[in-house]
């Protein structure tokens, strides 16, 4: 059931981000207003053999103007990465990671990467920091967790990304880098 709620929230986040609205605030409001209805829905994922390089690349035209306006230099390294998945849900998860970087990361280079691995595929979004605060790494993927109460948002974005990854029998990971951070979805 948690996955179902998270997937619905992700859909709202993606729709809100696509329209240029404050995605996280809008998602929280909609999620709270529709929680009872959501609990009655059944989770259905439509899976196809899909190249996630194409899925991620489909976002390029939609997100680059907002990223550039916010001071980011998006770089797309989209190597073929084919797997059995729900392409709509994974596109929404990638969009949520990109939007999270746009809102919270320091403007600069932003790398969006897909890659086939021996264990499946990986989709990564690497930014220029500042990264998650020490100790927050263990909470960042939990629903309604925010690094700072002074920031806008409901704290749903990363929890929804995790729910999508888990629905695909995968996972999501955060790791700091020398100059920023990487959020990575891995799916078998």
């Amino acid at each position: 059931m948690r996955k179902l709620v998270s997937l619905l929230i992700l859909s709202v986040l993606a729709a809100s981000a696509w329209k240029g609205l404050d995605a996280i605030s809008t998602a929280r409001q909609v999620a709270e207003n529709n929680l009872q209805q959501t609990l009655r829905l059944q989770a259905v994922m439509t899976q196809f053999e899909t190249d996630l390089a194409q899925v991620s690349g489909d976002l390029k035209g939609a997100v680059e103007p907002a990223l550039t306006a916010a001071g980011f230099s998006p770089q797309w390294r989209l190597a073929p990465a084919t797997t059995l998945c729900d392409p709509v849900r994974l596109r929404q998860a990638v969009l949520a990671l990109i939007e999270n970087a746009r809102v919270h990361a320091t403007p600069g280079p932003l790398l969006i990467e897909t890659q086939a691995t021996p264990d499946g595929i990986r989709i990564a979004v690497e930014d220029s920091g500042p990264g998650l605060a020490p100790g927050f790494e263990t909470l960042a993927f939990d629903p309604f967790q925010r690094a700072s109460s002074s920031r806008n948002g409901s704290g749903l974005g990363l929890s929804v990304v995790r729910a999508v990854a888990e629905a695909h029998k995968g996972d999501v990971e955060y790791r700091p880098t020398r100059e920023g951070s990487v959020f990575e979805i891995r799916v078998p």
Side-chain angles (χ1 to χ4, degrees), residues 45-52 55 82-88 90 168:
M45 282 197 340
T46 305
Q47 295 193 349
F48 303 98
E49 191 74 21
T50 304
D51 183 359
L52 294 175
V55 168
T82 301
T83 190
L84 184 65
C85 67
D86 183 330
V88 173
L90 281 170
H168 287 85

Side-chain angles (χ1 to χ4, degrees), residues 89-111:
R89 297 293 180 219
L90 281 170
R91 180 180 298 112
Q92 291 171 334
V94 173
L95 180 61
L97 288 179
I98 293 169
E99 178 65 8
N100 194 62
R102 186 188 67 79
V103 171
H104 299 290
T106 303
L110 183 68
L111 175 63

Side-chain angles (χ1 to χ4, degrees), residues 49-130:
E49 191 74 21
T50 304
D51 183 359
L52 294 175
Q54 181 178 349
V55 168
S56 299
D58 288 347
L59 295 172
K60 188 175 183 178
V63 300
E64 275 197 351
L67 291 171
T68 302
F72 291 93
S73 300
Q75 301 168 7
W76 301 81
R77 286 193 207 146
L78 304 177
T82 301
T83 190
L84 184 65
C85 67
D86 183 330
V88 173
R89 297 293 180 219
L90 281 170
R91 180 180 298 112
Q92 291 171 334
V94 173
L95 180 61
L97 288 179
I98 293 169
E99 178 65 8
N100 194 62
R102 186 188 67 79
V103 171
H104 299 290
T106 303
L110 183 68
L111 175 63
I112 300 96
E113 182 176 33
T114 59
Q115 179 182 32
T117 69
D119 299 325
I121 59 94
R122 67 182 278 278
I123 306 166
V125 175
E126 183 173 349
D127 61 47
S128 297

